[in-house]
Amino acid sequence: MRPSAPYTCKRCLNALQFGPRTTQYSLLSTRLALGRRTLTGACEKPRLATATQVKTQSSQKIAGRRTIASLGDQRQTAKDEPSEYRSPGGLASTPIPESEGRPLLMPNNLFHPFSSSPSPEIRRRAAFIKQNAYCPHPDHHQTRLPTSPNDPEARKSVKGSMPPKHVSFECPDCGIPVSCSEEHWADDYEAHLEICDTLREINEDDHDLRSGRFFPEFEYPGDQMEEAMINMTNWDTFMFSREFRAINDERSLRQATRLLTYPVTIGSVLHELSPYNIKKGGRLTVEGLKSLSALRYSLHPPRSGGGADIKGLRPTPPPMRIFILGARAESSLPREVWVQLAHLFPRVSFHLIFIGPESMTNRDAEFPLPERTPGNPFGAVVEDRLTNSLKISTFVEYYHTLHKAGHFYPYDPYFDCFVLFHPGLGHPASSHEWAETIPQLLETKVPIIVTGYTQYDMERDIKWVQETVGGEMDLLMHPGENRFRSLRWDLNDLDPQDISCGNWGVWAFRGKRYETMMKDTE
């Protein structure tokens, strides 16, 4: 029987009448695993504690777990599809309800150790971490060369007292495998405290994505009147001025920004109301003002006076082409996310071009790729019916191959822009892939927007570009923190000490322009 309306809200009435609502974005958002990683250091300031306090806390936790371990018959064993959850100590709690064959986790029940998680995906992830990640304790000798000053491998010696060993012990505070044994975890507890809170936050966010709840933060607004000004000071002002549904929970805000950081980062640099300007602290250089002024001239055209009748016909400018090179996770984003970029510039149309050998990752439903024909020589996947102002093309190919073929010529600084999300230009494992591409990008004289995981990652990329092309580049925007970075932290499964967030920093450059002047001979 349907409950009386005066005592039940409208949303609950709909849920009781039509059943719980589900969303397709929860699965898509959980598959945003970025391919390349750069090693970062601690993302939070360490808690101030003396060595005696740390040893005392560690001894108390170890004693407590040994007491609970005596209740071995009550400890839960991992199953493929658990119908109930037992706490890490082994005491049974209330069964977890299920929704559509998966466990439904409540907001106050999101923390679970990875190896005993209700989600089979997270349990498989825990097994992968234990098979590939190494213990960060300084007694082990190095497994590779450190890639940054904050790399945990820098704490180890080349010839340590112990050989490398995979992690197997899960920290009871964050629930993630971080050490090879309980003794090493307790001995290195002070160093682990620097990232323990962030790892626990990652744990809860991952379980939240698989909790089975409805995700209202993944519902995006449509067009709005042009007179409504967009405030790009930060995430809060942007979402308020764009009329997003109110998000009052920090976890929901982290989930929303994890997806929106890609289109909004591009829009925040190109928009006329961008927080990056020529003023003091605005990070924009004089050359950057020249390049971005050309793009903003095309992105914010005056009203043409066009109409639907014959008298109202007006010439239409070409679409704004945004080349996203080395595309990985951003190419598999829900298309509703990329439509938000078009809503920021309602008078122009966009053509997003994803280029890279991994640009079809997590898009298994679209395989096999189109055949390479004379009309489509590189087998592009074209999505041209998303909206009347957005078209997306995907090329599973290296950019330097397309550049040599002249596939996108000519380039126009008023209508073209390159974007590189976490390219790893200076990373030892990926720099060789960009050695041929970067000089070709500088030849186009088109702005190139680059993001990075950390300040060190960005500075390493800039140094590599300067060493590779010499003085043939102009810096358009100084490196610094991105105002629209992802607020959610990500974990590198190959190294649990490596935590990062998407698009933490942003900077820009282009090929150097040489201006000539005519000299009067008289």
Side-chain angles (χ1 to χ4, degrees), residues 4-71:
S4 177
Y7 301 98
T8 309
C9 69
K10 184 177 180 181
R11 181 176 296 179
C12 295
L13 285 173
N14 294 334
L16 293 174
Q17 184 178 5
F18 302 107
R21 299 166 64 186
T22 59
T23 175
Q24 60 178 338
Y25 303 142
S26 59
L27 178 60
L28 290 171
S29 56
T30 58
R31 299 171 66 182
L32 296 179
L34 300 181
R36 301 187 184 97
R37 294 284 185 177
T38 56
L39 297 174
T40 62
C43 58
E44 291 187 355
K45 294 183 179 179
R47 305 173 185 172
L48 297 179
T50 62
T52 304
Q53 294 173 340
V54 173
K55 294 295 184 180
T56 303
Q57 296 173 359
S58 304
S59 302
Q60 292 174 352
K61 292 183 178 181
I62 294 173
R65 280 193 302 278
R66 286 175 178 172
T67 302
I68 296 175
S70 62
L71 304 175

Side-chain angles (χ1 to χ4, degrees), residues 340-389:
Q340 294 302 307
L341 177 62
H343 290 332
L344 298 178
F345 309 93
R347 298 185 191 175
V348 299
S349 58
F350 286 89
H351 184 191
L352 301 182
I353 304 173
F354 298 109
I355 303 175
E358 303 176 48
S359 57
M360 289 297 292
T361 304
N362 294 334
R363 299 174 64 180
D364 301 336
E366 302 179 45
F367 283 96
L369 296 175
E371 296 183 2
R372 303 198 174 196
T373 62
N376 188 10
F378 294 99
V381 179
V382 181
E383 305 167 62
D384 58 351
R385 298 190 180 184
L386 299 173
T387 66
N388 58 354
S389 60

Side-chain angles (χ1 to χ4, degrees), residues 472-485:
E472 295 299 319
M473 62 165 284
D474 282 329
L475 193 64
L476 305 185
M477 186 168 65
H478 295 288
E481 185 173 355
N482 179 15
R483 298 198 182 195
F484 294 95
R485 69 174 181 86

Side-chain angles (χ1 to χ4, degrees), residues 453-471:
Y453 288 116
T454 61
Q455 181 75 22
Y456 175 80
D457 183 29
M458 293 185 295
E459 292 176 353
R460 180 176 57 186
D461 289 349
I462 296 176
K463 181 180 179 181
W464 182 87
V465 173
Q466 292 175 342
E467 293 176 352
T468 302
V469 299

Side-chain angles (χ1 to χ4, degrees), residues 225-253:
M225 59 180 181
E226 295 186 28
E227 289 75 13
M229 304 295 288
I230 299 176
N231 190 328
M232 289 191 170
T233 304
N234 51 45
W235 276 116
D236 293 332
T237 59
F238 171 78
M239 290 187 171
F240 178 79
S241 58
R242 271 288 290 128
E243 300 179 357
F244 276 77
R245 177 179 292 191
I247 300 178
N248 301 319
D249 182 40
E250 291 185 2
R251 179 171 292 109
S252 298
L253 183 61

